[in-house]
Amino acid sequence: MKAAVLVFPGSNCDRDLKVAFEAVGAEVTMVWHKESTLPDGVDIVGVPGGFSYGDYLRCGAIAANSPICTELKRHVDRGGYALGICNGFQILTETRILPGALIRNAGLKYICKHVPLTVTTSDSVFTQGYNAGSTVSIPIAHHDGNYQADDALRAALADADRIAFTYEDNPNGSAGDIAGVLSENRRVLGMMPHPERAADEGHGGTDGAALFTGIAGALVAA
């Protein structure tokens, strides 16, 4: 499996994501945001957390206009896989690769803690390592993690089984308790919690590891 991890000014979880991919056997290339192409043969693109461009405009809005995001959209349009975590999720919504928007937390404060999530579907390469309906503990670290979608969009996401994770105790005001959503073809996942920070014994929990082993198992088999 070949993975590319995008790096923007202000990314601070890019190495964590690289390590998580490498732990499941991936060959990982770090790709600077000014690049206009992805490495040949890339299976999955990781869009990491952090504070791209310092969040000086809308979170992810400036990064979404970086040269590499044009290629990211081409990769996704060709049926390639992508995983956006935290700021990466914000970037995926700003590029319109995923629907909805991330706004300021309802409590107007930065939140950093482990939270319980419900795995809403196991029908994706990202969630196939979990049982639908099970609970996992994954850390969050965000100020603008309040996922917003109108009633029609939330209904459409639910009807298509595209809600990947929900919060059991909503920390940020997200509509419908949504913590992660899938693209129409189920090959792109955006989520606010950080599975790469729960993928090793040294992290104090390994509930995020199944996400990466699931990706590797599916893509290596393909």
Side-chain angles (χ1 to χ4, degrees):
M1 181 177 77
K2 292 187 177 181
V5 174
L6 308 187
V7 183
F8 300 91
S11 294
N12 66 7
C13 300
D14 45 332
R15 182 179 180 276
D16 306 73
L17 188 52
K18 177 178 185 286
V19 169
F21 277 133
E22 288 178 336
V24 294
E27 176 186 326
V28 184
T29 303
M30 308 299 277
V31 181
W32 184 236
H33 72 116
K34 289 290 189 181
E35 298 293 332
S36 57
T37 60
L38 291 167
D40 290 340
V42 162
D43 299 299
I44 185 165
V45 177
V47 192
F51 306 91
S52 58
Y53 291 92
D55 289 344
Y56 288 134
L57 189 56
R58 250 181 356 263
C59 296
I62 301 176
N65 289 282
S66 288
I68 197 58
C69 282
T70 298
E71 182 62 16
L72 170 63
K73 286 186 276 189
R74 291 195 189 103
H75 168 78
V76 169
D77 288 343
R78 291 192 296 265
Y81 291 85
L83 169 64
I85 300 169
C86 198
N87 187 229
F89 187 13
Q90 294 162 344
I91 292 168
L92 291 177
T93 61
E94 289 290 342
T95 55
R96 309 315 300 162
I97 289 172
L98 290 176
L102 281 306
I103 64 172
R104 188 64 45 89
N105 294 341
L108 304 181
K109 292 182 178 180
Y110 178 82
I111 308 170
C112 184
K113 62 181 181 179
H114 275 74
V115 298
L117 304 178
T118 297
V119 181
T120 312
T121 180
S122 58
D123 183 20
S124 76
V125 301
F126 307 99
T127 57
Q128 65 178 354
Y130 303 102
N131 293 319
S134 62
T135 298
V136 295
S137 178
I138 305 290
I140 58 171
H142 57 246
H143 196 259
D144 295 71
N146 184 348
Y147 181 77
Q148 289 300 300
D150 62 22
D151 292 344
L153 176 55
R154 291 203 310 276
L157 291 172
D159 289 346
D161 195 32
R162 289 173 55 193
I163 300 172
F165 301 98
T166 55
Y167 298 108
E168 292 196 357
D169 183 13
N170 194 328
N172 52 33
S174 290
D177 302 325
I178 293 172
V181 299
L182 295 159
S183 61
E184 287 186 16
N185 68 0
R186 315 187 76 77
R187 294 190 171 200
V188 180
L189 170 65
M191 59 186 297
M192 284 309 295
H194 286 268
E196 82 284 11
R197 295 184 181 179
D200 183 272
E201 294 282 356
H203 295 159
T206 57
D207 283 0
L211 184 144
F212 294 98
T213 56
I215 294 169
L219 298 189
V220 170

